Amino acid sequence: MKRAIPVVVLSIAGLVPVWRYTPSAPVSTPSASSSSGSSSGTGVKGPTVNTSKGPVQVQVTFDGDRITAVRMLQQPNHPQTTAAVPKLVAETLNAQSADIDTVSGATITSDAYKKSLQAAIDAEG
């Protein structure tokens, strides 16, 4: 009986966060977009890459051969993805290619981002 009370109390304490959980609001694509510099130029959409977390698609804006902006058209509705997108975009703008590091904690999204990005770069020529 002495063990039963702590077990019940800890079980209830563990379930309270589950009962109070509310899913996050859907991610809108404008807030997920990120750009730097001029947004004028040629925009090329990469293919949609389906992942276990959700679809990923990017649009890359070019000014000549230079990548001036990357915008996420589709992304999984997940906090780690939301945190990873600005890092992926910043690395893309610095590297000027799809040869960028994977963001820890968002490996699936990072890999899909790089695939869509590389396809858009290839389509640009």
Side-chain angles (χ1 to χ4, degrees), residues 36-77:
S36 175
S38 173
S39 62
S40 63
T42 307
V44 179
K45 291 181 183 178
T48 301
V49 178
N50 292 312
T51 70
S52 60
K53 302 289 183 183
V56 175
Q57 184 182 26
V58 301
Q59 179 176 359
V60 184
T61 304
F62 294 92
D63 187 9
D65 289 340
R66 185 158 172 75
I67 298 172
T68 57
V70 179
R71 195 173 114 207
M72 292 290 283
L73 299 177
Q74 295 182 56
Q75 74 181 45
N77 183 14

Side-chain angles (χ1 to χ4, degrees), residues 3-121:
R3 291 184 186 180
I5 292 173
V7 169
V8 170
V9 170
L10 291 173
S11 296
I12 291 171
L15 289 174
V16 168
V18 174
W19 290 327
R20 294 184 49 107
Y21 175 77
T22 56
S24 60
V27 175
S28 62
T29 53
S31 66
S33 68
S34 183
S35 63
S36 175
S38 173
S39 62
S40 63
T42 307
V44 179
K45 291 181 183 178
T48 301
V49 178
N50 292 312
T51 70
S52 60
K53 302 289 183 183
V56 175
Q57 184 182 26
V58 301
Q59 179 176 359
V60 184
T61 304
F62 294 92
D63 187 9
D65 289 340
R66 185 158 172 75
I67 298 172
T68 57
V70 179
R71 195 173 114 207
M72 292 290 283
L73 299 177
Q74 295 182 56
Q75 74 181 45
N77 183 14
H78 195 273
Q80 290 170 323
T81 298
T82 304
V85 169
K87 294 175 187 176
L88 292 168
V89 170
E91 283 201 37
T92 301
L93 295 174
N94 286 336
Q96 290 294 303
S97 73
D99 186 21
I100 59 174
D101 290 333
T102 298
V103 175
S104 179
T107 304
I108 293 170
T109 301
S110 296
D111 290 344
Y113 171 91
K114 290 192 278 187
K115 285 179 186 175
S116 185
L117 176 65
Q118 185 62 56
I121 291 170

